[in-house]
Structures are given as C-alpha cells and as structure tokens.
Amino acid sequence: MTVLAHKYYAQSILPLSYSSRNTLHSCERRFELRKLYGHDRSEREESLPAEVGHTLHTGYQTYFATRDRDAAAAAFMLRYPAHLCNNRNDQRSIEAAYLTLEEMMAHPIDSRYKIAHINHNGVMKPAIEVPFRINISNVSLLSSGPNIAICYDGFIDLILLDTVTGDYCPLDIKTTKTWRTDYTAKYLYDDQCLPYGYILQRVLNRPTTAFNVLYLVAYIDALKPRVYQYDFPVTEQRVQEWAFTFAFELNMLRQYAEMGFFPRRGSSCDGYGVCGYFDVCGYNNPDDIRAFLDSQFGPRSYDSDTIMKDFDPWFTINLTIEGLS
C-alpha cells in the first residue's frame, strides 16, 4: 500500500475533540475525510439538531449570567437556525425550542449554584463556554515526515460554585428528543466531562483528585418540555482512565495515518441521514478527494499554529500520557 498520509496535512497541529472522537468511533473513513483534508467544513457539520442544541446553550448561558429573561430570549432568537427549519410542526421548531428554554430557565438549579468567575488576561469573566486546550506532549501523528502535534480542544458549558460545599463543578447542558424518564444510563459513564478534571486543576491552582459534574438535560417539546438535573461524582481513577483510553485511540489513529488507510463502516453510511461524505467515500487518490471536498465545501486557509478560527483557549495544559510517544 502506498503511504499517502503526508499529503493530508497543511497544518502543524491536529486538534481533536469529543465530537471528532465520536466520529472516529462511528466511522474511521468519515473521520479521515472530515478532519485530515482540511476543507472548509471540517471543524463542524451543520445540522438542525446540533444547531438547535447550540441555540439553547446560548439562551440558557445568557440567562445564567444575567438573570435577564429578555436578554436570554434575544440571544436565543439571534442564534436560532431559521434557515434549517421553517416548519412550525417540526420537533425542533423555534416554538418548541423556545418553550424548552423557558422550562430550562424555570429550573431551580440557581438556588444552590452560582456562576464562577475566571481571571482571563487580567479580566474577570463569567465561566461560560470556557475554551481549553490539552496538548499531548511529545507526540506526532506521523513518525516520519512533518511533525504534526496533537491536542484536545473543548469548551466547558458553565463552571459553577456550589454555595453549600464551596466546591467548583462543571455544568454540561444536554438537549435531546430521546424521551426518557431517567437519563442516568445515558450520561453516568459518558466521558465528555472527564478531561475537565485537568482544567479544574488550573482553574483552582491546586490538585483536583475528584469533582462532581452536573448535567442539565432538556427534552425539547412544544407541549411538554422537560428538564432534569443530575449530579455525578468523578473520581481520579476515571480521569486517568480517560487519558489511557485516549492514548489507545491515538495509537490507532497514528497507525491508520501512517498506512494512509482508514476503514469504512458501512453501517454508518445512513443513520439520521446519508453521510455527507458518501459521494466521495469511494475515491482513493488524495488529490481527487481534496478537489472534490474543495468544490463542495471550499478550501481551508490555515494559520501556522491553530485550525479553529478565533479559538483562544483560556487554559492550555501539557499532558504526558505514560506509554504514548
């Protein structure tokens, strides 16, 4: 097999995230096409469920910071993806989403928790959508050729102060159309919030061996929206397990990149809809793939050190994972 991995990249760093890891889990080929060719759509794929989720995040975060329902409603309206939904009967219509936001604002979580404030570049800012970057030390995607560093980027929805215990804890907002009376099984062992432990260490400037993570789960509905709150403990062992699991995934990813081969998972070609990369999935020549993606989505222009435009992490840490080099 001809090694073509060096033709993927025009940047010196590969940023991964919770979302891109899920893409890798579902279909390695989709990950390759979305992340490794650098087209204009590579960092986020627009869809109604995702955009409505972002809209509710924006509205609720605005409310938590200001306690102003009008300001929250305005932020919600400006963010709602009307170009993706003009049907009032859609499950994620603007009416259904706004009524869900009203239910979220009515939830009494703020009777105990207050928003934390963080000193960023000399300015105290409310801990809303806190961006962070975890650099994986001494690791390159390719063993030979250009050095391509790997990092893990993310955003913490909110960091809250527990006024009863004095502890700080992250809050993760989840929006869903999956009906459950109890979402414990869906989120108890989800690993999205585990790396937040490393960030809390920087926020508090002291070792954090364990912390609690809050989930606010909003079921979107025009007639009966529902909001549930969960408080799950995170141990030091679980944070370490996240690091080791991430290391295994990186070793697999680096092997695929070295070979220039990412397997297709046919079961993922048509899930909630046909995969956006279905038409190009059968191409083999990297130049043909790049030309197709550029024609569909537009080429990307890369900065020297980052890919996400305007991404300015409040916290950047270097993480060394034993056995990964």
Side-chain angles (χ1 to χ4, degrees):
M1 180 176 294
T2 303
V3 177
L4 298 170
H6 67 281
K7 293 187 178 181
Y8 292 145
Y9 301 94
Q11 69 271 12
S12 60
I13 186 169
L14 174 66
L16 301 178
S17 65
Y18 178 75
S19 176
S20 62
R21 288 180 65 214
N22 284 339
T23 300
L24 181 64
H25 297 161
S26 66
C27 180
E28 292 89 338
R29 176 65 164 169
R30 182 186 299 167
F31 176 93
E32 176 193 27
L33 295 171
R34 179 179 296 176
K35 292 291 291 185
L36 303 189
Y37 281 92
H39 60 82
D40 192 48
R41 195 183 182 185
S42 60
E43 293 306 326
R44 194 178 79 188
E45 186 170 6
E46 190 177 60
S47 67
L48 182 62
E51 292 304 310
V52 170
H54 292 311
T55 300
L56 287 170
H57 275 66
T58 299
Y60 186 71
Q61 288 166 333
T62 300
Y63 171 74
F64 215 105
T66 65
R67 294 297 189 273
D68 186 332
R69 289 177 175 268
D70 291 336
F76 168 91
M77 294 296 180
L78 290 172
R79 185 66 175 78
Y80 185 82
H83 63 293
L84 296 177
C85 180
N86 56 12
N87 181 1
R88 296 183 62 182
N89 294 320
D90 192 280
Q91 292 181 329
R92 291 180 173 84
S93 67
I94 191 170
E95 292 85 359
Y98 183 73
L99 289 170
T100 304
L101 175 63
E102 289 278 1
E103 191 73 14
M104 294 168 71
M105 292 189 292
H107 192 276
I109 186 173
D110 57 352
S111 63
R112 173 170 176 173
Y113 296 95
K114 305 301 179 185
I115 195 164
H117 286 75
I118 294 175
N119 188 332
H120 176 57
N121 294 333
V123 178
M124 295 301 295
K125 298 180 179 180
I128 298 173
E129 203 72 9
V130 177
F132 66 87
R133 168 165 287 177
I134 300 175
N135 291 317
I136 310 302
S137 300
N138 305 316
V139 173
S140 174
L141 183 66
L142 302 176
S143 60
S144 60
N147 182 71
I148 302 170
I150 298 174
C151 66
Y152 184 89
D153 291 345
F155 295 86
I156 302 176
D157 290 343
L158 294 163
I159 300 179
L160 303 181
L161 171 65
D162 186 335
T163 59
V164 175
T165 66
D167 294 328
Y168 289 89
C169 53
L171 170 69
D172 201 52
I173 303 167
K174 298 295 187 184
T175 59
T176 183
K177 276 300 300 179
T178 301
W179 170 249
R180 297 285 187 274
T181 56
D182 184 358
Y183 291 89
T184 298
K186 189 171 181 65
Y187 298 114
L188 177 60
Y189 295 118
D190 185 76
D191 66 356
Q192 180 176 3
C193 298
L194 298 184
Y196 297 174
Y198 298 114
I199 307 307
L200 288 178
Q201 290 184 20
R202 286 292 303 274
V203 173
L204 303 176
N205 197 28
R206 59 178 172 82
T208 303
T209 57
F211 62 97
N212 283 0
V213 60
L214 301 175
Y215 283 88
L216 195 72
V217 183
Y219 174 74
I220 302 171
D221 194 74
L223 298 178
K224 294 184 178 180
R226 295 287 186 269
V227 176
Y228 301 86
Q229 178 187 333
Y230 297 93
D231 184 347
F232 298 138
V234 175
T235 63
E236 182 180 16
Q237 179 181 354
R238 288 199 65 200
V239 176
Q240 292 175 345
E241 288 174 353
W242 176 88
F244 288 130
T245 301
F246 190 45
F248 289 136
E249 293 173 358
L250 289 184
N251 281 331
M252 178 184 68
L253 174 59
R254 295 162 74 197
Q255 184 175 7
Y256 287 148
E258 288 285 349
M259 297 174 62
F261 169 72
F262 285 75
R264 300 179 182 89
R265 305 295 177 184
S267 59
S268 296
C269 291
D270 189 352
Y272 292 105
V274 176
C275 174
Y277 300 93
F278 183 78
D279 290 336
V280 73
C281 190
Y283 287 31
N284 293 314
N285 185 284
D287 292 333
D288 293 340
I289 293 173
R290 186 175 295 108
F292 181 95
L293 294 173
D294 288 353
S295 70
Q296 293 294 309
F297 309 120
R300 252 331 257 279
S301 297
Y302 294 102
D303 298 328
S304 58
D305 296 319
T306 187
I307 295 180
M308 292 183 66
K309 184 180 179 182
D310 299 327
F311 184 70
D312 178 24
W314 293 11
F315 299 97
T316 300
I317 66 171
N318 298 317
L319 178 63
T320 299
I321 304 177
E322 185 178 352
L324 184 63
S325 60

